Amino acid sequence: MAIEASSGGGAHARIRLGMVGGGQGAFIGAVHRIAARIDDQFVLTAGALASDPARAKASARELGVADDRAYTSFEEMAKAEAVRSDGIEAVSIVTPNHLHAPVARAFLEAGIHVICDKPLTTSLAEAEELVELVRKTGKVFVVTHNYTGYPMVRQARAMVANGDLGEIRLVQAEYLQDWLTEPLEASGHKQAAWRTDPTRSGAGGCIGDIGTHAYNLACFVTGLELEELLAQLSTFVGGRRLDDNVQILLKWKGGAKGMLWASQVAVGNENGLTLRVYGTKGGLEWAQENPNYLWFAPYGQPKQLLTREGAGALVDARRVSRVPSGHPEGYLEGFATIYAEAARAIRAAQTGKAPDSSVIFPTIEDGLAGVKFIDAAVSSSARNGAWVRMI
């Protein structure tokens, strides 16, 4: 699927990318940078990589960013890059959650396309404001729900849309980890500290960090719209200020039912994102830790194992595959697919056109849906598990 690129001008020149956050000691920033380069569509040109000025400059030098493009604040970066003839064309936002909205706003107002980590914002009001700003500016806005980029997730989505499962009845999503089983935040662990701090993470902990991924995956594959939910958000680690375990009942528009379980204290689990979808004609099961496999169970027939680029792989999966069958593709490649799709959308926007209909990426509306999901789950749990309507 990769588009040939060059460092020179022309339609296929690499898109000049800036980054806010992601400096020394940050995990997700490095992931974004790798993903942006896998298909050779972007070149990191500028950055405000840390809140500490010295660390921001040092991080930029390590990444080969010129000193005059290494900024100490995102506000300075947005203003300066907007007036440069060689200014950035897109910005990647990889900060803690509370900065997503102000950073996105600054770059949208500067006329720069945005690629933003999830959740979109820490409040529903901010999310709705961003949606309006995106509509006003007409800029491409991508939310990096990276699991939607996996080939076999695209395969599952196409099979549901093609009617292979019949009418959907049940949707079960899980995302299980154990890395917050102990109070890492108390030891100064950077990633744990901000994720468990409501001033930086928002009202949701586990629900916002990984629960939104499970929810987004369920919506992406099934095409269903959530009507109501009943949530119990729990905090098992003493002194922790946000939830570390989430259990939710789901009622989808049209009658399907489901459950979502997300946990960061489920001992023995590493990154257990799993989706199961069952309809009147068959079922599907996909697990992120074995991402090249998709189980399909047609009713009354033997269960089938479909593989990426193998027999039965649909064009939807093949167009986002990079290597022959039997060679593993995973997390970084799935992330890269989102960046490659973003590149296609940005190039189309630069010519005043819409991207090809095959180009799929999580949009600002998907980001808004995720924030609505967090807000409803927090509200339901606070009301002792009351049903909360989503639509």
Side-chain angles (χ1 to χ4, degrees):
M1 69 170 289
I3 304 170
E4 290 186 6
S6 67
S7 57
H12 296 307
R14 296 185 186 101
I15 294 167
R16 297 184 296 276
L17 180 69
M19 180 168 282
V20 177
Q24 293 171 332
F27 161 71
I28 203 65
V31 171
H32 277 255
R33 290 190 293 271
I34 294 168
R37 288 292 292 152
I38 282 179
D39 293 312
D40 208 21
Q41 300 302 303
F42 294 86
V43 57
L44 184 65
T45 308
L49 299 167
S51 55
D52 175 73
R55 191 156 56 88
K57 293 287 187 181
S59 298
R61 291 191 189 101
E62 287 180 4
L63 297 172
V65 174
D67 284 348
D68 68 333
R69 311 289 288 276
Y71 301 95
T72 56
S73 75
F74 69 84
E75 296 95 341
E76 175 194 11
M77 177 177 163
K79 290 177 182 177
E81 291 294 319
V83 298
R84 292 183 67 119
S85 60
D86 63 347
I88 62 170
E89 298 161 278
V91 66
S92 180
I93 303 172
V94 293
T95 64
N97 301 346
H98 71 294
L99 290 171
H100 290 179
V103 176
R105 189 179 303 113
F107 284 90
L108 287 170
E109 290 174 346
I112 294 167
H113 303 290
V114 174
I115 301 168
C116 183
D117 238 340
K118 59 82 216 146
L120 180 63
T121 63
T122 57
S123 76
L124 186 54
E126 281 184 323
E128 290 171 339
E129 288 172 5
L130 270 189
V131 170
E132 289 305 312
L133 184 56
V134 170
R135 290 171 180 167
K136 178 182 176 182
T137 62
K139 294 300 167 183
V140 174
F141 197 107
V142 180
V143 180
T144 51
H145 279 295
N146 55 296
Y147 301 107
T148 64
Y150 284 78
M152 299 315 284
V153 168
R154 299 289 178 100
Q155 170 94 10
R157 174 188 171 99
M159 291 177 69
V160 171
N162 291 343
D164 293 345
L165 274 65
E167 183 181 346
I168 302 302
R169 290 173 168 171
L170 301 169
V171 183
Q172 310 286 113
E174 293 181 0
Y175 201 153
L176 309 181
Q177 301 173 338
D178 71 356
W179 72 287
L180 288 177
T181 295
E182 295 183 336
L184 281 184
E185 60 269 34
S187 68
H189 189 287
K190 181 178 178 179
Q191 300 302 320
W194 77 258
R195 282 175 169 83
T196 57
D197 178 0
T199 65
R200 289 181 285 174
S201 187
C206 176
I207 183 71
D209 194 27
I210 61 175
T212 49
H213 271 313
Y215 173 62
N216 174 263
L217 184 65
C219 294
F220 181 80
V221 169
T222 66
L224 295 177
E225 187 176 6
L226 189 62
E227 194 168 65
E228 285 185 282
L229 63 76
L230 182 158
Q232 183 179 59
L233 277 56
S234 305
T235 305
F236 284 102
V237 175
R240 181 165 288 162
R241 291 184 287 171
L242 291 174
D243 58 279
D244 50 29
N245 189 83
V246 176
Q247 293 161 301
I248 303 179
L249 293 178
L250 308 168
K251 291 182 182 178
W252 303 91
K253 187 176 180 180
K257 303 294 191 295
M259 292 187 291
L260 186 150
W261 176 30
S263 182
Q264 292 175 313
V265 295
V267 173
N269 288 279
E270 295 176 343
N271 207 61
L273 174 59
T274 303
L275 180 68
R276 300 178 184 90
V277 183
Y278 303 100
T280 54
K281 294 168 56 178
L284 290 175
E285 182 175 346
W286 179 83
Q288 192 275 153
E289 291 179 341
N290 291 290
N292 294 286
Y293 303 137
L294 175 68
W295 284 102
F296 174 45
Y299 181 67
Q301 299 180 39
K303 200 172 184 179
Q304 303 173 16
L305 179 61
L306 305 177
T307 63
R308 186 194 56 77
E309 283 287 298
L314 301 176
V315 64
D316 306 74
R318 291 184 183 278
R319 72 170 287 274
V320 296
S321 293
R322 294 169 179 79
V323 296
S325 59
H327 297 75
E329 285 195 24
Y331 182 71
L332 294 174
E333 292 87 352
F335 230 117
T337 292
I338 304 303
Y339 268 88
E341 301 283 58
R344 292 184 174 193
I346 289 168
R347 287 198 175 95
Q350 289 171 338
T351 64
K353 301 177 181 178
D356 184 270
S357 60
S358 65
V359 175
I360 303 171
F361 57 86
T363 65
I364 187 77
E365 285 79 15
D366 295 306
L368 174 61
V371 176
K372 286 182 176 179
F373 173 71
I374 296 169
D375 187 73
V378 170
S379 174
S380 171
S381 186
R383 293 160 55 190
N384 198 31
W387 284 100
V388 172
R389 287 193 63 80
M390 294 282 292
I391 56 177

